[in-house]
Amino acid sequence: MTSAAQEIAAFAEEKLAALAEKNLVRRLAPTRREAASAMRGGRRFVSFSDNDYLGLSQDARVKRAAAEAALAYGAGAGASRLVTGDCPLYGALEARLASMKGSEAALVFGSGYLANLSAIPVLARPGDVVALDALSHACMFAGARLSGARVETFRHNDAGDLARVLEAPAARRIVLTETVFSMDGDRAPLAAIADACAAAGAWLMTDDAHGLGVIDAENPAPLQMGTLSKAAGAYGGYVCGPRAFIELLVNRARGFIYTTGLPPAALAAAIAALDIMKDEPQRGRRALAHAATFSRLIDAPKPQSAIVPVVFGAAEDALAASARLYEEGFIVTAIRPPTVPEGTARLRVAFSAAHEAADVTRLGALVRALIDERRR
Ligand SMILES: *Cc1c(COP(=O)(O)O)cnc(C)c1O
């Protein structure tokens, strides 16, 4: 190695050692996913750590649509949508998204992360305030910081605290929250949040990453973004809103202009998935029913989504619980800081229509035993 490479390696090793001390090192595990199961090292596991809430990433119709689109349109997009010309699949996908959200128009991005990173700086600039729910996803914070606006947080799901934050003087006020919170599975009080926004003249954008296809609730937000990578089983992100704003995004969103379009296979998969979502609403209900069964078994409150958190507190306790479940054939990844606040390391159990009821009840009994063991 050159001396610079050695310096970089030493720099990284020091950082990694500090993470190891706090039980916060993360590692990639080679895994082959199937319906709700996964093969690792020759062993089959049932995974409760995917966001594939409807099982659509493994659905034969969705996979076939992806394969056919690759054969018809190619493996890659070639360039940015503005440069190379727009694949006709985009129009079909964006029309479906706009219709699902009751918006005038929609724009698809490379991912949900990229959508937030790109759209928020188009809305806000220095002199403005971006107010986020304190538990908002990392990419909403990243987009807010990139905008140069003042970034404020309000207490989780607290519309009263939002009203307080919105009192501060600002040219424009943008409010960001999630419909379903990714690590807690609870839902935002959207009517109260929208009222606080209306009273302050603020604009609300919601992130529906974990709601699409699972939660069918009224959403008063004029701007709604989300991802095609979770319940839609494919890849990509989107923003829905007034037609003129979507046109502004095409002209201003840097993460739209300066990046290559999605592969046609991802677009076709998302289209097929959205059609199935519409035709088979029972899939979302099945995921929710599994979450309810599991919550009952562990004596947790009735869940508001397909995500159920089991908070252990210390990172090593969450890791130990995850390891015990792994021995029993379940993948339930421990979620640690900084993904969740310090002292709230947890198992995040995500349910899918693809899960079998017997696996849900067996997992519920095992987690129940782990919780009881800690109480003793
Ligand atoms: C996963 C997630 C995203 C990012 O979506 P990707 O398409 O995976 O980049 C954005 N917001 C929330 C709340 C998420 O959970």
Side-chain angles (χ1 to χ4, degrees), residues 51 110-114 116 136-137 139-140 178 180-183 207-210 225-230 235-237 348:
N51 299 314
S111 71
Y113 196 109
L114 212 45
N116 271 328
S136 294
H137 193 267
C139 65
M140 299 160 87
E178 298 182 23
V180 172
F181 281 83
S182 58
M183 295 298 140
D207 181 330
D208 195 36
H210 300 275
M225 65 75 58
T227 175
L228 301 166
S229 330
K230 288 169 181 163
Y235 199 67
R348 171 189 181 272

Side-chain angles (χ1 to χ4, degrees), residues 147-203:
S147 76
R150 199 166 75 246
V151 178
E152 302 274 1
T153 58
F154 58 95
R155 277 197 302 273
H156 179 52
N157 279 349
D158 187 336
D161 197 45
L162 170 61
R164 177 191 63 79
V165 166
L166 292 177
E167 278 168 13
R172 241 188 330 250
R173 296 171 180 79
I174 314 296
V175 175
L176 305 175
T177 191
E178 298 182 23
T179 55
V180 172
F181 281 83
S182 58
M183 295 298 140
D184 292 80
D186 57 342
R187 281 152 62 177
L190 288 180
I193 299 277
D195 285 349
C197 290
W203 300 340

Side-chain angles (χ1 to χ4, degrees), residues 317-327 330-334 347 370:
D317 292 344
L319 284 172
S322 175
R324 289 277 294 278
L325 297 175
Y326 196 75
E327 284 165 20
F330 292 110
I331 296 176
V332 189
T333 306
L347 298 178
L370 286 173

